Amino acid sequence: MDFGFTPQDEEFRAQARTWLAERLTGDYAAAAGQGGPGSEHQATTVRRRWERELGRGGWIGLGWDRARGTFGNRHATVVQQVVWAEEYARAGAPARVGHIGENLLAPTLLAHGTDEQCARFLPAVARGEELWCQGYSEPDAGSDLAAVRTSAVRESGPAGSRYRITGQKIWTSLAHEADWCFVLARTEPGSHRRRGLSFLLVPMDQPGRIEVRPIRQMSGTAEFNEVFFDGALAKAGHLVGAEGDGWRVATALLARERGVSTLVQQIGFAAELDQVLGLALAEGAADRDPVLREELVRAWAELRTMRRHALRTLGGADSTAVPGAPSVAKLLWGGWHQRLGELAVRVRGAAAALGPRDWTPRLPYELDALQRLFLFTRADTLYGGSDEIQRDLIAQHALGLPREAHT
């Protein structure tokens, strides 16, 4: 597809740049660059206020399909969405806390939800007022998502039909901040694998029925959580798609998570690569080590290739239009980002083992940006579906190979 910038795109860029310059002051400026991978715990109060500021400016949900209506946000072409992401990264704005609602839940509701669900939930997301988390992974159902055991039993009560949910989710980012969670649960007793699963929208403010436990890491911080559902309630009207059709809805959402949305993610990757390259040049590591220099060049070339792949995917109406495309994208960026973290450590040498501050009981050790990059990218080839699972999906859906038997 042609990805050149028209005069209209450049006018949109000027609007975005001006708006960001005017708003990124005070606490927002102080939180610049905070809250990314490995630092989700940073400045959450300020970042939540910033989300509402974005909502007032109409900058949330620029690419939402408007067939269901408008929700108080601007509308932008694909190219303009990239322009906005570039300007957002250039301005060093705080990391978003509403990205799960904007980029995962909203497109899923627009594609599979009812008009009533869209009218109830999307305006609040567009205003930056309600935050979401994703209730997929479980202790025994991570990359093998079809092994979900969390149950949802339909029952009738004075307030109408509802589901009572029991089970545990894990690695749930932003659950401690979220107002709502979209939960994949088993609604057909005795069902197996992909059958009998449903996609439910669950309010998180249910004391005694929902417990969120932060998962403390060795750095002393907590980036994600365990969530325990003990009879948590969800309205029957908050079932997305038909009962038992949750696998189709859930995997369509994952296609967005692994595919098209990675284009914006790559803008952040480019900033990290620039930081590593700048350090290699400043400290002379690239001059001393020709192998390291070659790997840095390869990282730059691979990132450009991933960008072209993401742009090609955007040429279709949906990222699922190309068989296996979401899994290919996940394999590409997961391995690349992990290798970049390794390069960051190699460039710094022995100094990479030293933290920026002394040990304290509250923070056993603190990480700088490149140390976080190294440690947290170790999980890139696991979360969101491990590399092994992605290769299975490519084999089945792109190559037409037989499905692996499960016992």
Side-chain angles (χ1 to χ4, degrees):
M1 71 185 285
D2 181 9
F3 215 76
F5 296 114
T6 67
Q8 291 78 14
D9 297 332
E10 294 302 338
E11 180 181 353
F12 184 86
R13 183 186 300 279
Q15 293 174 6
R17 185 172 295 185
T18 299
W19 189 91
L20 287 165
E22 291 174 349
R23 295 329 192 268
L24 276 172
T25 59
D27 290 345
Y28 299 149
Q34 295 189 16
S39 17
E40 285 283 3
H41 61 285
Q42 293 178 336
T44 52
T45 302
V46 173
R47 288 163 56 212
R48 184 146 193 170
R49 284 197 285 115
W50 174 244
E51 197 72 18
R52 293 193 290 271
E53 188 75 43
L54 290 169
R56 285 190 290 271
W59 295 106
I60 298 175
L62 300 180
W64 291 355
D65 183 353
R66 295 205 157 191
R68 294 289 188 91
T70 60
F71 303 97
N73 48 359
R74 304 169 188 243
H75 183 66
T77 66
V78 170
V79 175
Q80 289 167 348
Q81 292 168 51
V82 174
V83 167
W84 165 249
E86 289 177 341
E87 291 303 313
Y88 195 91
R90 185 197 64 81
R96 296 284 306 281
V97 291
H99 60 92
I100 294 175
E102 178 186 12
N103 298 319
L104 299 182
L105 173 80
T108 301
L109 287 185
L110 289 167
H112 304 283
T114 64
D115 290 341
E116 291 76 15
Q117 289 167 350
C118 291
R120 163 59 185 88
F121 293 109
L122 298 192
V125 174
R127 293 191 300 266
E129 293 176 355
E130 289 185 346
L131 302 185
W132 287 79
C133 60
Q134 180 178 12
Y136 275 21
S137 294
E138 300 181 4
D140 295 318
S143 294
D144 186 13
L145 187 59
V148 159
R149 292 192 296 179
T150 293
S151 66
V153 178
R154 188 161 185 159
E155 59 185 28
S156 297
S161 184
R162 63 189 184 183
Y163 290 91
R164 188 174 294 275
I165 303 165
T166 304
Q168 177 188 0
K169 299 295 181 177
I170 199 166
W171 316 124
T172 311
S173 298
L174 295 173
H176 60 295
E177 292 286 333
D179 304 292
W180 290 82
C181 181
F182 49 87
V183 176
L184 187 63
R186 198 164 292 282
T187 50
E188 181 184 331
S191 61
H192 184 64
R193 305 298 298 170
R194 304 177 182 186
R195 295 186 178 87
L197 296 171
S198 296
F199 190 100
L200 294 164
L201 310 179
V202 183
M204 291 293 287
D205 186 14
Q206 299 192 48
R209 292 191 173 122
I210 297 181
E211 181 184 0
V212 178
R213 297 181 191 171
I215 299 174
R216 181 179 167 91
Q217 297 158 247
M218 59 183 176
S219 61
T221 63
E223 313 302 327
F224 28 60
N225 311 269
E226 295 177 282
V227 182
F228 295 86
F229 298 94
D230 186 7
L233 301 177
K235 294 180 180 179
H238 292 168
L239 168 72
V240 180
E243 185 173 292
D245 195 31
W247 183 258
R248 182 177 65 92
V249 177
T251 52
L253 182 146
L254 285 176
R256 295 182 181 278
E257 180 182 36
R258 295 169 183 164
V260 174
S261 65
T262 62
L263 183 59
V264 173
Q265 179 187 50
Q266 288 164 18
I267 295 171
F269 289 173
E272 292 172 340
L273 176 59
D274 286 345
Q275 187 178 4
V276 175
L277 288 171
L279 184 65
L281 293 171
E283 298 193 356
D287 294 328
R288 294 192 302 270
D289 188 342
V291 174
L292 178 62
R293 183 169 63 248
E294 179 181 344
E295 291 179 359
L296 289 168
V297 172
R298 181 182 295 273
W300 177 88
E302 289 177 344
L303 183 58
R304 299 291 295 180
T305 301
M306 286 194 294
R307 178 178 172 83
R308 297 308 304 173
H309 173 74
L311 294 177
R312 183 177 69 88
T313 302
L314 284 173
D318 193 319
S319 63
T320 59
V322 181
S327 294
V328 170
K330 176 62 168 63
L331 280 175
L332 287 174
W333 74 253
W336 181 90
H337 203 214
Q338 192 172 90
R339 292 191 295 276
L340 181 65
E342 294 166 355
L343 280 172
V345 170
R346 288 180 54 195
V347 164
R348 296 184 65 186
L354 300 176
R357 293 181 178 84
D358 291 337
W359 183 94
T360 67
R362 187 179 66 86
L363 289 176
Y365 64 84
E366 191 166 342
L367 306 173
D368 62 30
L370 292 182
Q371 288 169 328
R372 284 197 300 272
L373 176 66
F374 170 70
L375 288 178
F376 283 86
T377 55
R378 308 315 299 167
D380 280 345
T381 54
L382 296 173
Y383 71 77
S386 69
D387 280 9
E388 291 81 3
I389 292 294
Q390 302 312 319
R391 292 188 178 97
D392 277 351
L393 293 173
I394 292 169
Q396 294 164 17
H397 300 301
L399 303 179
L401 297 177
R403 188 184 304 276
E404 181 182 3
H406 290 277
T407 58

